[in-house]
Amino acid sequence: MRKLVLSSLLLTCIAFQSCKNEEKQKEAEAAKEEAEKIVRSECYKAIYENDTIDLKLNTLKNGKLAGDLIMKVAPSTVRKGEVAGEFHGDTLFIDYPSTDAATKNKTFKNPMALLKKDKQLILGNGTMQTTMGVTYLVKDKPIDFERVKYKFEKTECSDK
């Protein structure tokens, strides 16, 4: 009889603990969803010769940015991907994992730095390094925002 009472008590404690864990998990998911709500959206376009880059940036409630980038760079094919990043001062650092329309199975991941100047975003040229398959901008090397191809101008966002 005593073993039955102890085992019932043990099972009850385990059930209460799993309920608490489930509640905490639901609260964490709700907090994450709240932090990732879109506060505002801004769209930009950069044109250089035959190249066009469209960028949509969504500012999230947690201060980070997410969005979409479509690169149409001649003579290669179209690259599409989602961007994610945040501002450090007046410079936006984003990661851009993209897929090429010709090689849909291959994903390219590039870091980018964009300087916010007036109503423009200027795509900088920096020294990149790849370590263990991860490409990143080298911290000790300056990023050039003067001699650049792509300067993004603000445009109206269209629902596509």
Side-chain angles (χ1 to χ4, degrees):
M1 181 70 163
R2 188 174 189 186
K3 287 184 180 181
L4 180 63
V5 171
L6 284 175
S7 60
S8 296
L9 184 61
L10 180 64
L11 286 173
T12 305
C13 289
I14 290 172
F16 282 135
Q17 186 63 32
S18 66
C19 288
K20 283 184 181 179
N21 288 342
E22 192 174 304
E23 286 177 20
K24 286 181 184 178
Q25 187 176 9
K26 285 182 182 178
E27 287 175 10
E29 287 175 11
K32 183 179 177 186
E33 286 178 18
E34 182 67 26
E36 292 179 351
K37 281 189 177 177
I38 297 172
V39 176
R40 76 171 184 269
S41 294
E42 296 177 315
C43 295
Y44 296 88
K45 183 183 283 279
I47 299 172
Y48 178 79
E49 294 177 357
N50 295 326
D51 304 344
T52 304
I53 303 175
D54 291 303
L55 173 64
K56 180 177 182 179
L57 288 176
N58 299 315
T59 304
L60 307 179
K61 198 169 187 176
N62 63 6
K64 296 190 179 194
L65 292 134
D68 301 303
L69 184 75
I70 301 170
M71 296 180 79
K72 298 172 187 167
V73 181
S76 68
T77 61
V78 177
R79 286 193 178 172
K80 296 179 181 182
E82 295 181 2
V83 296
E86 59 187 318
F87 274 99
H88 294 276
D90 59 356
T91 306
L92 171 62
F93 291 94
I94 58 174
D95 285 322
Y96 173 51
S98 64
T99 55
D100 195 310
T103 57
K104 293 181 181 177
N105 294 337
K106 192 169 186 178
T107 300
F108 302 91
K109 187 172 182 181
N110 293 315
M112 294 180 166
L114 296 126
L115 178 67
K116 187 161 191 159
K117 191 173 183 182
D118 299 323
K119 292 185 179 185
Q120 285 185 327
L121 287 176
I122 302 168
L123 180 60
N125 297 316
T127 305
M128 288 195 234
Q129 182 173 344
T130 303
T131 304
M132 296 178 64
V134 178
T135 304
Y136 58 91
L137 292 165
V138 179
K139 289 185 179 185
D140 297 340
K141 304 279 183 169
I143 298 170
D144 180 16
F145 292 105
E146 296 298 320
R147 296 172 296 164
V148 296
K149 291 182 183 179
Y150 303 110
K151 292 184 178 184
F152 291 84
E153 299 290 337
K154 214 175 221 187
T155 61
E156 288 293 319
C157 292
S158 62
D159 296 327
K160 291 183 181 177

